C-alpha cells in the first residue's frame, strides 16, 4: 500500500510543479494576443481607433456623448465599434493583422 501513496504523492507533486508552467504559458499567450490586438488597432483609421478607445476606456460614457465629442452620429459610433471588434476578433482567431 505504501507504493500507492508514494505514487499519488508523486502525481500530486508533478501536477503542482506543472501548474506554474501552464500559467506561464497562458500568460505568454495572453501577452502575444494583447500585442496582436494593439498592432491590429494601429491599422484602424484614427477616428475608428479614437471611438473604440473612448467607448472601452469610459464604459459609463453613452454612445451619444462619444458621438458628440467626435462629431459623428450615434449610429456611426455603434457601427465603428462593431467593425473594430469584428476586425480584432478576426486577428485573434486567424493570427493576422
Amino acid at each position: 500500500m505504501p507504493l500507492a501513496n508514494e505514487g499519488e504523492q508523486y502525481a500530486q507533486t508533478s501536477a503542482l510543479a506543472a501548474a506554474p508552467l501552464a500559467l506561464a504559458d497562458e500568460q505568454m499567450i495572453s501577452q502575444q494576443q494583447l500585442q496582436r490586438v494593439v498592432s491590429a488597432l494601429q491599422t484602424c483609421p484614427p477616428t475608428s481607433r479614437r471611438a473604440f478607445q473612448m467607448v472601452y476606456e469610459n464604459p459609463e460614457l453613452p454612445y451619444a456623448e462619444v458621438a458628440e465629442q467626435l462629431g459623428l452620429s450615434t449610429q456611426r459610433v455603434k457601427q465603428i465599434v462593431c467593425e473594430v471588434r469584428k476586425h480584432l476578433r478576426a486577428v485573434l482567431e486567424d493570427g493576422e493583422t
Side-chain angles (χ1 to χ4, degrees), residues 22-23 71:
L23 183 58

Side-chain angles (χ1 to χ4, degrees), residues 17-59:
L21 294 176
L23 183 58
D25 284 346
E26 286 179 28
Q27 288 175 339
M28 185 176 74
I29 289 168
S30 294
Q31 274 297 83
Q32 290 172 347
Q33 288 177 329
L34 178 61
Q35 190 59 40
R36 289 193 346 229
V37 166
V38 169
S39 295
L41 279 172
Q42 295 303 317
T43 67
C44 295
T47 302
S48 296
R49 254 194 333 263
R50 184 71 183 129
F52 187 82
Q53 180 181 12
M54 289 177 74
V55 166
Y56 283 95
E57 285 183 356
N58 307 292

Side-chain angles (χ1 to χ4, degrees), residues 11-23:
Q12 290 173 348
T13 303
S14 295
L16 290 174
L21 294 176
L23 183 58

